[in-house]
Amino acid sequence: MKRASAPARSDWVKCAEPVQGVERIEAWFKGKAYAMHRHDTYAIGRTLAGVQRFSYRRGQRDSLPGNTMILHPDEAHDGQAGTDAGFRYRMLYIEPALFQDVLGGRALPFIEGGVSTDSRLAAATSALLPHDGHPLEALEQSEALVELAHALAAVAGTPARRLRGDFLAARRARDYLQAHCTQAVTLAELEAATGRDRWSLSHDFRVFYGTSPYRYLTMRRLEMVRRLLLAGATLASAAMAAGFADQSHMTRHFLKTHGLTPGRWLRFAGGSVKS
């Protein structure tokens, strides 16, 4: 895991290389960390030191060392230190599709409250949050994700039966959006690609993947923006290449999704902003 260069005692973030739909970070913040934002992944992590405070589902949550945090896709949240001492944590960002590969059309697990002391979740996340920060092999990660999906379903009480809806159509829509993320995809195109009417498809997509088709499309564009910025692209050129109307359009979505401006995110990631 690579640590962004920063003066002593300033906020920092270490970012590991993404592995097959899973991102990992470790971070330390003394005050305000993130503005309110939401993303289309699960955010699952562990507080290592201090009090990690965040707003979530109309309430304030405090995560203490050893607690497991489970934030559901598309749920707004922020982040800040609960005391003057600051806080340190590790976090995973996991695409819901990876859990659906295990659950096969069952409801996405929802853990009420966002913070858990359940030992099953603690054990299941340990393999994905190693203390030494070593990169996980693909098979190692896949097996750990299976264990985590089952632990989440057990703790959440997810029914064993499949949900009503067309899971295959939702998956075809996800594949289409992934392949055409830089284009202006319409609902009519999704209908043609999936054989499902737009209203049923939008409902099914949210049920099985935890977000709307447009939010999923936007997140894929933002992933491209981050890759381009790290490769040295300017904010404007990255925005246009990823399919956004312009730089300001991209920046608005970036802040709403990550709780950071593109410039601040890039500094944490070890890059420099180019105009």
Side-chain angles (χ1 to χ4, degrees), residues 180-200:
H180 299 82
C181 67
T182 61
Q183 303 172 20
V185 178
T186 67
L187 283 172
E189 290 171 334
L190 285 181
E191 284 182 325
T194 63
R196 185 84 161 148
D197 74 88
R198 63 187 63 187
W199 311 121
S200 299

Side-chain angles (χ1 to χ4, degrees), residues 68-234:
T68 303
M69 293 167 287
I70 312 97
L71 309 183
H72 199 269
D74 246 9
E75 291 285 352
H77 57 280
D78 59 6
Q80 57 269 327
T83 69
D84 292 338
F87 69 99
R88 182 175 178 177
Y89 70 103
R90 293 192 183 102
M91 189 70 79
L92 300 159
Y93 298 95
I94 304 173
E95 294 181 8
L98 296 177
F99 289 147
Q100 277 296 0
D101 288 342
V102 179
L103 300 175
R106 294 165 61 192
L108 287 174
F110 183 83
I111 308 297
E112 187 65 41
V115 179
S116 175
T117 58
D118 194 289
S119 60
R120 292 170 291 181
L121 291 177
T125 55
S126 292
L128 292 163
L129 292 169
H131 291 286
D132 58 8
H134 78 277
L136 299 180
E137 295 183 41
L139 181 59
E140 179 185 17
Q141 176 172 289
S142 295
E143 291 179 351
L145 285 172
V146 170
E147 294 299 319
L148 180 54
H150 288 310
L152 286 168
V155 174
T158 303
R161 67 181 186 279
R162 291 189 176 190
L163 293 172
R164 287 188 175 183
D166 193 329
F167 176 52
L168 293 179
R171 189 164 64 183
R172 285 194 293 269
R174 179 175 63 88
D175 292 342
Y176 187 89
L177 293 170
Q178 186 87 40
H180 299 82
C181 67
T182 61
Q183 303 172 20
V185 178
T186 67
L187 283 172
E189 290 171 334
L190 285 181
E191 284 182 325
T194 63
R196 185 84 161 148
D197 74 88
R198 63 187 63 187
W199 311 121
S200 299
L201 180 62
S202 293
H203 171 268
D204 292 349
F205 199 95
R206 183 172 290 279
V207 165
F208 293 118
Y209 294 114
T211 192
S212 68
Y214 180 69
R215 282 280 298 156
Y216 185 84
L217 182 72
T218 300
M219 287 298 299
R220 304 293 74 76
R221 290 173 176 171
L222 290 175
E223 285 179 356
M224 181 178 292
V225 165
R226 290 188 297 166
R227 291 195 300 270
L228 291 171
L229 292 179
L230 288 174
T234 65

